[in-house]
Amino acid sequence: PPTPTVAVGCGSSTATRANPPSIETYYWQTTSGGTSTANSSATLTVTSSGTRYLRARNNYYGLWSEVRAVYITVKPIPAAPTGSNVTRSGPGTVTLTVAPPSGASANWYDGNTRVGTGETTYTTPHLTSDRSYTVRSTLNGCESTTPRTVTAIVGPPPTPPTPTVAVGCGSSTATRANPPSGVTYYWQSTSGGTS
């Protein structure tokens, strides 16, 4: 038989044989000397890489041809990445991080839209509320079947601690504490000021 064509897939691959002459039937075999008549389908789908064999049988005489070997490659599907939610204080961007399996990278999705390709980190746009993203490991063009969901959590903005006041003659000085990372304290002249 002529060599089958192989369509390499993620998790499974399919070999397709040519059509035999009218007096013959092609049979897939698991060994080079096999004479099984169990599988004469036009295609053979496998879930692991390895060599498969095809032989022709003359339907009149019952004689077998020489074997045709074909190596079928199956690309593995990587496991889902690991990752955790990240919380920030108040609106802003959030940097999310995942850890895909060894050798793999990650694709990021916001709903059905891919927002990051091949990166283990993703920085969100400016957020004012929580937002979840799905992440799939990717290896050799194959994505993990199960995604990992990580959420950027927008917590309430921090309340500044009460400044200390040094009362003086003619002027007084209020001194604030240092803000946490990513936060800036601003003095305002009104209770609702945003200067």
Side-chain angles (χ1 to χ4, degrees):
T3 302
T5 59
V6 177
V8 178
C10 299
S12 66
S13 295
T14 299
T16 302
R17 61 163 176 76
N19 290 323
S22 59
I23 198 173
E24 295 178 2
T25 303
Y26 291 161
Y27 293 99
W28 298 100
Q29 308 293 332
T30 56
T31 64
S32 60
T35 56
S36 169
T37 57
N39 188 355
S40 63
S41 62
T43 60
L44 177 70
T45 299
V46 300
T47 57
S48 61
S49 298
T51 302
R52 305 300 191 273
Y53 305 93
L54 192 66
R55 295 186 76 182
R57 184 177 185 274
N58 183 290
N59 297 321
Y60 184 77
Y61 293 105
L63 301 176
W64 288 92
S65 72
E66 295 297 321
V67 71
R68 176 67 69 183
V70 57
Y71 187 83
I72 305 176
T73 299
V74 177
K75 295 192 291 185
I77 297 176
T82 59
S84 302
N85 301 336
V86 176
T87 301
R88 67 158 292 133
S89 297
T93 62
V94 178
T95 297
L96 301 168
T97 302
V98 295
S102 177
S105 56
N107 290 335
W108 296 78
Y109 295 88
D110 183 356
N112 292 323
T113 302
R114 185 183 292 184
V115 293
T117 301
E119 302 294 338
T120 57
T121 62
Y122 172 70
T123 300
T124 72
H126 184 90
L127 300 177
T128 58
S129 60
D130 299 353
R131 193 167 191 90
S132 294
Y133 297 85
T134 56
V135 195
R136 295 180 185 270
S137 299
T138 177
L139 178 65
N140 297 325
C142 297
E143 285 192 334
S144 55
T145 304
T146 304
R148 175 70 59 188
T149 299
V150 290
T151 302
I153 301 172
V154 179
T159 300
T162 302
T164 58
V165 178
V167 179
C169 298
S171 67
S172 295
T173 299
T175 303
R176 61 162 177 77
N178 291 323
S181 176
V183 176
T184 303
Y185 292 158
Y186 294 96
W187 297 99
Q188 307 294 330
S189 57
T190 63
S191 60
T194 57
S195 166

